[in-house]
Amino acid sequence: CAHHLCSLRGRHCSRHTQRVTRELKPKDHGEAIALFRSQILGPVLCGVPSTDPDRLAAFFDAEARSRGLTRDDFADDPPTGGILLDLAAYVPQRCTDGEGIDADGVISWTGADARYIYVLETDSANPGVPPDRDTPMGTLWRLDVPPTGQPMASGSVVYGELAPTTSQRFPSTGAPVPLVEGRDYYLYVTLDMYVPTTRCVFTYPTD
C-alpha cells in the first residue's frame, strides 16, 4: 500500500465529515477505517494507506485548494512521516561487538531475536514499507520468519542458508551472491517490521 502523509497546519485542520464522505468514498473496509481515523478522529498528522496513490494525492491537493493553500505554503515545512521517515533517514554506523558475518557465514547481531534479516550493499536504502519499499535496491539476501515461526537468535543464521521455519525473500530463487573478502556490507536485522535491532556496516569476514 502507498502511505500518504499530510500536515495541514493546526489552523487549517478542522475535520469535515460530509466533505470526506462526498469527495473520497472508501473502496473497502480498511480504507474506510483509515479515513475515519485520520480525517475525523485523527490529529494534524495523518497517514492514509491506499493502493491508489494518484487518487489520494488528487484528493489532498483538492482539500488544500479548498482551504486556500498551495504547495508554496508548505515549501519550508520539514518532511512529515514519523517513524517511517526516521527509519528511512537512518545512517548506519560501523558494527561493534562482533556484529556481522564471519568466515563460515554465521550472522551475528546484538539485541533481540529477529524475524527479518537483510544483508545489503552499503549504498542501499534502508528497508521500509511493504510491498514496494521493504526490499530496496542493493539487497543481497533477505531471510523472513513467518508470524507462526520462532524468531531467529544471533549466531543461528548462516548467510544463504534456510532454517526449517524461514523463507528466503530475496533472491526469489537460488543462492545469494557470494560475499567478497575485505568488502563492506550493511547488516539490517529487525525484531519485526519497523522494529530494527541491528543496523550497521561491517567488513567481511568479521572476527
Side-chain angles (χ1 to χ4, degrees):
C1 65
H3 285 70
H4 294 276
L5 299 168
C6 68
S7 179
L8 300 176
R9 300 165 207 163
R11 67 183 183 275
H12 300 301
C13 283
S14 59
R15 305 300 181 185
H16 301 287
T17 305
Q18 292 181 350
R19 179 181 298 167
V20 170
T21 304
R22 181 175 65 252
E23 295 185 8
L24 187 60
K25 295 180 180 179
K27 290 182 175 179
D28 52 36
H29 179 72
E31 190 173 277
I33 293 297
L35 285 170
F36 179 77
R37 287 176 174 169
S38 65
Q39 296 296 312
I40 300 171
L41 298 180
V44 172
L45 177 67
C46 63
V48 181
S50 174
T51 55
D52 193 342
D54 292 339
R55 176 169 164 267
L56 277 189
F59 166 75
F60 285 116
D61 282 343
E63 177 69 13
R65 287 196 301 272
S66 75
R67 299 169 187 266
L69 302 172
T70 68
R71 291 181 181 271
D72 291 340
D73 291 301
F74 306 100
D76 297 328
D77 287 0
T80 57
I83 186 173
L84 301 183
L85 182 64
D86 293 341
L87 290 173
Y90 181 80
V91 178
Q93 305 301 308
R94 297 294 305 183
C95 293
T96 60
D97 302 323
E99 297 167 321
I101 304 178
D102 69 14
D104 295 322
V106 176
I107 304 177
S108 299
W109 62 88
T110 56
D113 294 350
R115 289 193 177 277
Y116 301 94
I117 301 168
Y118 295 80
V119 180
L120 309 111
E121 299 282 8
T122 55
D123 59 355
S124 171
N126 293 305
V129 180
D132 60 338
R133 298 190 179 186
D134 56 331
T135 308
M137 290 290 292
T139 299
L140 301 177
W141 192 57
R142 172 179 166 182
L143 184 73
D144 289 10
V145 177
T148 56
Q150 184 68 28
M152 306 297 290
S154 173
S156 67
V157 178
V158 176
Y159 178 74
E161 296 184 6
L162 301 181
T165 60
T166 64
S167 63
Q168 179 175 289
R169 183 68 177 272
F170 189 90
S172 57
T173 59
V177 298
L179 301 181
V180 178
E181 183 175 354
R183 187 171 175 180
D184 285 349
Y185 296 96
Y186 181 15
L187 178 62
Y188 193 102
V189 180
T190 71
L191 169 65
D192 212 327
M193 199 64 70
Y194 317 132
V195 189
T197 179
T198 289
R199 297 171 289 179
C200 64
V201 174
F202 67 94
T203 301
Y204 175 78
T206 54
D207 297 330

